[in-house]
Amino acid sequence: MDYLGLFNYWVFIVLMMCGFYMLLSARNLVKKVIGLNLFQTSVFVFYISTGKVDGGAVPIATDGVDVYSNPLPHVLILTAIVVGVASTALGLALILRIKDEYGSIEEDEVDLQDALS
Amino acid sequence: MIAEHAIILAVVLPLLAAPLCILLGRGFLSWIAASASVWTSFGLALHLLNRVLHEGTIRYALGGWEAPVGIEYRLDAAGALVMTVVTAIASIVLPYSYTSVRREIDEHKHHWFYACLLLCFSGLLGITVAGDAFNIFVFLEISSLSTYVLVSMGRDRRALTAAFKYLIIGTVGATFYLLGVGFMYQMTGTLNIEDLSQRLLAMSGDGVTPVYETTTIRAALSFLTVGISLKVALFPLHVWLPNVYAYAPSVVSAFLSATATKVAILIFLRVFYTIDGKAIPFEALPLAQTLVPFAVAGAVVASFIAVYQRDVKRLLAYSSIAQVGYMICGIGLATAAGLESGLLHLFNHALMKGTLFLAIGCVVYRVGQTRLELLRGVGREMPFTAASIVIGGASLIGVPLTAGFVSKWALLTAVLAEGRWVIAVLVIVSSLIAVVYVAQILHVMLIRKRPVGSERLREAPLWMVVPTFLLALSNLWYGVVDGRAADAARAAAAALIEEVAR
Amino acid sequence: MLVALIAPFVGAILAVLFGRWPNVREGLSLVSGGITFLAVTQVAMALHAGEQIALTVLEPVAGLRLAFDVEPLGMLFALVASLLWPVTTLYAMGYMREHHEKNQTRFFCFFAISISVVMALAFSANLATLFVCYEALTLATFPLVTHANDRSAWRAGRVYLGILMGTSIGLLLLGCVAVYGIAGTTDFTTGGVLTGPLSDGKVSKATLGVVLGLFVFGTGKAAVMPMHRWLPNAMVAPTPVSALLHAVAVVKAGVFTILKVVIYIFGIDLVRDLDAHTVLAYVAGFTVVAASVIAMGKDNLKERLAYSTIGQLSYIVLGALVATQGSVEGAGMHIATHAAGKITLFFGAGAILVAAHKKNVSELDGIGKRMPITMACFLVGSLSIIGLPPAGGMWSKLLLVEGTAASGDWLLVGTFLVSSLLNIVYLLSIPMRAFLRPERADIDHHGHGEAPLSCRIAMVTTATLTFLLFVRPDLVYYLVQSLGQGASS
């Protein structure tokens, strides 16, 4: 089988796993959010790449073109990107508040303070 | 005219009211706006439920574009039932919230609070009516994002960390869901859930295997299952839930526990029954064999953990995880009776957990905290709150004459009809453990004496006690008098199963 | 029938409303008691006339139909409970005042609610309704058990609730659902509903045996060992509660449940067919003897009576499980005769407590001279429990022994006889002490006399009832006669 022929999947899987690993293992909250962002973005990449049709043109009606790429995934992902930005922003805002309250953005220290209180 | 657009109005009104709240900028005014829109939605939901039960599934093409090109809103009996639950709980929670929020949240954040509450509400309603898989994702994120904000408004600083962890896990869940939908779209080229269910049955490219048996669809289903399980807080993916419920403001705990997981369960139903039809996930994947054991294990283990909690809200949170186990167990059985019991328990659990969290909110209003040992004798001085906790607790255990008993009976009969004795026994074990933890709360609050020298408490304000007590009475009402909830659940189950047969 | 169900409930509400005026409150309790009894007799007349009396309230989910239907056994139970309720109310009026109990309004209120639930339980048309009422009864009687509101009362309350709720949710509910799962209905049907599925091969005998076990042990109120501990604990309640609820209503609700299940769910023949019935019968037999032995060792009068009750309850369970026509009839009849006898004994114990402030048997020497009426009634009650003439207990015991003998299990027959002998020892010794021995000089007697008038009236009434059951057993036998129908021996 031609594994490399599906290279867009490889990209998305590698990105996804990088993000997932980051958000699971990073102890710094900002790094966690970045990991989360990467994780989401990988799925966006996947969506966008599925919209590509071999030999398809940009999906704007033009004379003499029969095959268009599928625009729908792109539209969907526009929405998803908005959602992603919102959750990243919210996560960062929360981190600010946590920093105010705990004086730290290291998960271990925050947990320690919670355990002590 | 209005009746025609009721389905969209119910969702859009709160969505519009949310920015209005921010513009109004004052706690009281935005409370009025929020109440007005929520009650309107409740009225519309009742109207819609009635119509769905009599006329069958309602369809609504957004902007006049017919499906599959346009976005379709579609309300079946299950959706209407959940919609009614969500709106009903919200309309009870809102009058309560005014007093409670003034005590628990800073004055200058009140209008933000109501705005977020409305956004969350609107998102949850959106899920119940959404007719395509991607819209469900969008509404899910609307409700989730506003939930994170609501949770972080809790007074304890641990609310912040709880909200942050919830954000991480919730987003992962939603992204899994998105990925699953992406795979489905890739294979079928549609997002409309009815189209999906038909195209999945078609033959795939090689002309031998149907689409639903391809690896892609299996992967999609796996991602969907895990993603939604995270949102439902199905054991063992429940870790975010206890802290969220424990540190969120009382109103939010009550609202979330009674609605958010319920709506997530509706997504479960959408994916496994509406989109795929029962046959696909239950044949292509060993879903019944995986879901039911996790659900039952959750029911037992989470109940067991609840016994050892020293914080009332955490205790109730673990109990919620256990109760979710019951619902998923009913749904996972994949029979009409099982589905009915799951849906019925969904309704009844909203009643009982809503009651309990609201009552605890009343206690918080007077005492200021939720550690069990500091609540000694509180019930003796707050009789109506105590009565609500007794009724809610009895319902949670499944004592006859309460709503909880009806759904437990339904679940047990459904389980035994399948001849699954072990599950029946485990469900009963779990409810016996429930006896223990409920007894613990009651023992501390009613039997133990107040610490010497503590000042005498008064009953919580009228605006809080009345909604709490009404909700408590509804537990008895639906346990003894009124069978309509069960009828609706039966109709919903029948409709879902019928779609499978199609 | 609706009147019978609602009258006590209305009484409860009235009791709360008029709580400030004790005379009005208790008068109303008495009146609602009278109305209930009249309504129940009306129902009995209607049943006699062959009318079908049924009432469906609600069916929220399949199999969970709340419905009421009248049949002879339930009729008997309802008659007994409704007749003894006003009598006990009368007694309670004197007792509670003399004893200066607190929260009397709450007491009368929950008392009335309990009776209302008992009525509903007696008329249940199916297992689901029965189970609902059974649980409601536990909850309604809980405030009565913890009436004293002190540490020991709450401890007892915890055991009470723990065992009764634990067994019913853990075992009884499973049993009910299992029956529904197997038979597709939980309606009480003459001849049982499980025979069909068995002959269809849907279930095995072993499974049915397990289900029967679930019922026998799950019905904690029937106090079959090892589920009996709540009953002695519940004796911390005021004596009228012990008398009516823990000698009549609650415990009888337990054995009533088992009888109902044996007769109308399993069917007598089917029970006799199961291997499990022998095992369970032996457990009941063991309870009979063991409880009697423990009772002998108890000096506290109420505890002794409690263990005696445990033993007597197992007579009924045993009668049900032996499952011959005679034994089932005897079991049904024993519900009535034991109720009348045991309530008399409890009234006596309460009267002694009120008048003489004595709780222990060893202090009762010579008390017969001060309280002749009380002790005379006590004597009649004892005779009834032992099964000697001139008291009604004789007939039911006779039927039970005959029925057991018909099954050919002589060991169980022996159990009855041994237990009767033990009964003589621990019960008859009390009036003997009271009348024959001289008063003890080492304890203070406060110069007491007889119990309050209302207590004496109540006691004499129940003692007379016991005697009446001896002279006219046909009043009760008429009802239980039909129970054994359908049995082949």
Side-chain angles (χ1 to χ4, degrees), chain C residues 126-185:
Chain C
N126 54 42
L127 257 182
T129 314
L130 186 75
F131 180 76
V132 169
C133 299
Y134 180 95
E135 289 289 16
L137 186 58
T138 311
L139 295 178
T141 49
F142 179 70
L144 297 173
V145 173
T146 55
H147 187 81
N149 215 354
D150 56 18
R151 190 167 278 273
S152 67
W154 281 108
R155 196 171 54 234
R158 212 160 52 223
V159 174
Y160 185 79
L161 213 54
I163 292 188
L164 290 187
M165 288 289 243
T167 51
S168 61
I169 293 183
L171 306 172
L172 187 57
L173 177 60
L174 194 57
C176 296
V177 177
V179 166
Y180 181 69
I182 294 167
T185 173

Side-chain angles (χ1 to χ4, degrees), chain B residues 249-287:
Chain B
S250 312
V251 179
V252 177
S253 304
F255 182 68
L256 286 186
S257 67
T259 57
T261 44
K262 310 296 176 294
V263 173
I265 285 175
L266 182 72
I267 307 181
F268 232 109
L269 292 175
R270 286 275 179 271
V271 169
F272 295 132
Y273 288 88
T274 317
I275 294 190
D276 299 327
K278 176 188 142 201
I280 302 170
F282 288 89
E283 282 170 18
L285 290 174
L287 205 58

Side-chain angles (χ1 to χ4, degrees), chain B residues 458-477:
Chain B
R458 282 179 302 142
E459 183 56 273
L462 211 58
W463 277 102
M464 296 174 71
V465 174
V466 171
T468 310
F469 199 61
L470 279 181
L471 200 53
L473 289 183
S474 71
N475 274 297
L476 298 179
W477 176 259

Side-chain angles (χ1 to χ4, degrees), chain B residues 8-90:
Chain B
I8 184 89
L9 280 178
V11 182
V12 168
L13 272 181
L15 200 62
L16 292 177
L20 184 66
C21 281
I22 298 171
L23 290 177
L24 288 171
R26 292 256 311 278
F28 180 70
L29 292 178
S30 41
W31 175 68
I32 298 270
S35 305
S37 66
V38 164
W39 285 340
T40 316
S41 292
F42 181 46
L44 291 171
L46 283 181
H47 163 77
L48 286 170
L49 176 67
N50 200 21
R51 245 175 72 194
V52 170
L53 288 182
H54 287 109
E55 300 166 16
T57 306
I58 302 176
R59 285 156 212 286
Y60 179 85
L62 217 60
W65 295 84
E66 293 297 330
V69 176
I71 296 172
E72 188 193 40
Y73 276 12
R74 160 180 185 289
L75 189 68
D76 60 2
L81 181 68
V82 176
M83 190 180 198
T84 314
V85 172
V86 173
T87 49
I89 294 291

Side-chain angles (χ1 to χ4, degrees), chain A residues 5-113:
Chain A
L6 299 167
F7 79 95
N8 57 329
Y9 292 93
W10 286 108
V11 171
F12 125 74
I13 289 172
V14 168
L15 272 180
M16 186 176 186
M17 285 305 121
C18 287
F20 202 46
Y21 178 76
M22 249 177 103
L23 80 86
L24 288 179
S25 66
R27 307 310 293 167
N28 183 302
L29 299 183
V30 175
K31 286 184 184 166
K32 261 187 195 294
V33 171
I34 293 172
L36 187 67
N37 212 328
L38 198 58
F39 180 70
Q40 287 182 299
T41 311
S42 70
V43 178
F44 304 161
V45 170
F46 160 72
Y47 261 80
I48 293 168
S49 63
T50 56
K52 171 72 182 163
V53 176
D54 265 348
V58 178
I60 300 170
T62 321
D63 287 337
V65 179
D66 297 330
V67 186
Y68 294 105
S69 285
N70 187 352
L72 187 65
H74 302 181
V75 179
L76 296 180
I77 280 327
L78 270 179
T79 318
I81 288 173
V82 174
V83 171
V85 170
S87 40
T88 310
L90 186 58
L92 291 174
L94 279 173
I95 293 176
L96 275 179
R97 291 280 314 278
I98 291 176
K99 169 80 175 163
D100 283 350
E101 296 279 342
Y102 289 86
S104 166
I105 54 167
E106 291 295 323
E107 197 176 22
D108 297 334
E109 285 180 33
V110 171
D111 286 350
L112 188 68
Q113 287 189 33

Side-chain angles (χ1 to χ4, degrees), chain C residues 64-115:
Chain C
L64 192 61
R65 191 163 57 89
L66 294 184
F68 301 102
D69 192 5
V70 183
E71 48 73 51
L73 185 63
M75 197 62 247
L76 174 67
F77 184 37
L79 272 175
V80 170
S82 63
L83 173 61
L84 293 178
W85 181 40
V87 180
T88 314
T89 309
L90 191 68
Y91 178 84
M93 281 159 57
Y95 177 90
M96 297 299 272
R97 289 183 182 187
E98 189 78 13
H99 217 232
H100 308 296
E101 293 272 0
K102 289 170 294 183
N103 296 326
Q104 294 193 14
T105 302
R106 188 179 70 188
F107 172 84
F108 281 105
C109 170
F110 278 102
F111 212 85
I113 292 179
S114 306
I115 294 301

